[in-house]
Amino acid sequence: MRFKLAALPLMLVAATAGAEEYNSFTNATYTNAESGDIESDILDLDTTYYFGAKETLGPLKEFEYINKVSNVFAGLSYIDVEGYDDEFVGVGGEYFASNGIVLGAAVYDLGGENLDTLSIGYLFTPNFLVTLDHVDNDSDNEFSLEANYNHQLNATDYLGFTFNVDEEFDTRSLSSKYFTHLGGEQYLTAELAYVNYDEGDDYWKLGTEYFFTKRTSVGFSFDEVEQYELGMTHFFNTNVAAKAAYVSNTDNDMDYDIFQLGLTVQL
């Protein structure tokens, strides 16, 4: 027993050894989509700054399931579809007070349509967060309730859940993520998303990502409409990563191909 108690601090240090900390995340993603004779190009730029360090769980792109750090963010999307182009812009932020209160707000210009979001929540424990969200656009506004729960399995592994329901209980969604350390620098995630609509329609999506090392991973997902995605991420160093993905479908009645290339900078 004395040996076990003496070894515990060493085990905790080993579990967190090599963890990196970041305050800002910036992404640039180019998407090319082809469906029949229609081709579209999309450029997405977004950045988030956290007013406290975000610590990795091993892989350089994996962090705690429930964010608890105040932040501000901004994003810009440029879309070109067969000669038609438009821009979408959004800015917002979250504030986590020391007493557990969480406040959030964002404004978006969606090509001439305005959309505003407000949220208030409470962090009951570090592993349980509930928020009430309000969305207001030019044509409608509605409330929704979201609950996030993280079940920590050990120093690294967790099983997270997110449940969301709108004010009319017309749409209910549940998503879950499992993160586990396989040994060495190898990690695995598994994700499930399920949405139930009041009309009786359902939607589900399954995904997984395998980390060869904390810098390199491949991922695959498949959903209810027979769409699949194959992607990879590689960090050249602890700050810069490249991403690539291919999205298509197995339904012969639908014909499209989506290619994505991205760059991420974490500082």
Side-chain angles (χ1 to χ4, degrees):
M1 177 63 72
R2 183 177 302 173
F3 170 77
K4 291 182 179 179
L5 292 175
L8 182 58
L10 297 178
M11 293 169 61
L12 294 175
V13 170
T16 57
E20 302 287 341
E21 293 185 346
Y22 302 95
N23 288 89
S24 70
F25 299 80
T26 300
N27 299 286
T29 305
Y30 168 73
T31 302
N32 174 262
E34 298 180 1
S35 179
D37 297 329
I38 301 176
E39 183 175 355
S40 61
D41 297 290
I42 304 171
L43 178 62
D44 294 306
L45 300 172
D46 67 80
T47 185
T48 303
Y49 180 80
Y50 292 89
F51 295 94
K54 296 282 290 180
E55 186 176 284
T56 64
L57 297 179
L60 299 182
K61 61 178 291 187
E62 289 294 321
F63 302 86
E64 60 183 354
Y65 185 72
I66 300 177
N67 174 59
K68 298 182 281 289
V69 182
S70 299
N71 60 85
V72 291
F73 59 85
L76 168 67
S77 295
Y78 176 78
I79 301 175
D80 184 350
V81 182
E82 294 296 310
Y84 167 80
D85 59 84
D86 211 337
E87 294 181 357
F88 299 159
V89 182
V91 295
E94 295 178 293
Y95 173 67
F96 289 80
S98 58
N99 61 0
I101 296 294
V102 182
L103 301 174
V107 293
Y108 300 90
D109 181 353
L110 306 178
E113 179 181 6
N114 296 317
L115 187 148
D116 304 325
T117 68
L118 293 172
S119 65
I120 182 170
Y122 189 75
L123 190 66
F124 291 91
T125 74
N127 292 316
F128 185 47
L129 170 65
V130 176
T131 59
L132 177 65
D133 305 305
H134 178 257
V135 177
D136 183 9
N137 58 35
D138 291 340
S139 58
D140 195 10
N141 66 85
E142 64 176 31
F143 288 91
S144 64
L145 184 70
E146 181 171 289
N148 293 270
Y149 174 71
N150 174 65
H151 179 62
Q152 199 67 36
L153 300 172
N154 53 46
T156 57
D157 301 6
Y158 69 78
L159 183 60
F161 298 92
T162 297
F163 177 74
N164 187 285
V165 61
D166 66 4
E167 60 181 297
E168 302 293 337
F169 291 90
D170 291 334
T171 303
R172 299 160 293 276
S173 65
L174 174 67
S175 61
S176 180
K177 180 176 181 179
Y178 173 61
F179 174 83
T180 184
H181 182 201
L182 300 176
E185 287 195 348
Q186 297 180 329
Y187 297 81
L188 180 73
T189 69
E191 296 186 66
L192 163 68
Y194 173 76
V195 183
N196 176 255
Y197 303 97
D198 193 49
E199 294 82 3
D201 295 330
D202 296 331
Y203 171 82
W204 56 263
K205 181 178 181 180
L206 298 172
T208 185
E209 187 167 13
Y210 173 72
F211 294 84
F212 298 95
T213 70
K214 66 180 183 179
R215 293 189 179 189
T216 306
S217 65
V218 294
F220 178 79
S221 67
F222 187 77
D223 69 6
E224 191 266 341
V225 296
E226 300 185 32
Q227 174 177 281
Y228 64 88
E229 177 178 347
L230 178 64
M232 63 82 61
T233 301
H234 175 70
F235 279 81
F236 299 104
N237 51 45
T238 57
N239 301 109
V240 180
K243 301 177 291 183
Y246 171 70
V247 182
S248 190
N249 64 289
T250 60
D251 186 346
N252 293 329
D253 295 331
M254 303 174 67
D255 180 22
Y256 59 85
D257 296 285
I258 301 173
F259 302 89
Q260 287 186 328
L261 292 175
L263 185 70
T264 296
V265 178
Q266 300 179 181
L267 300 173

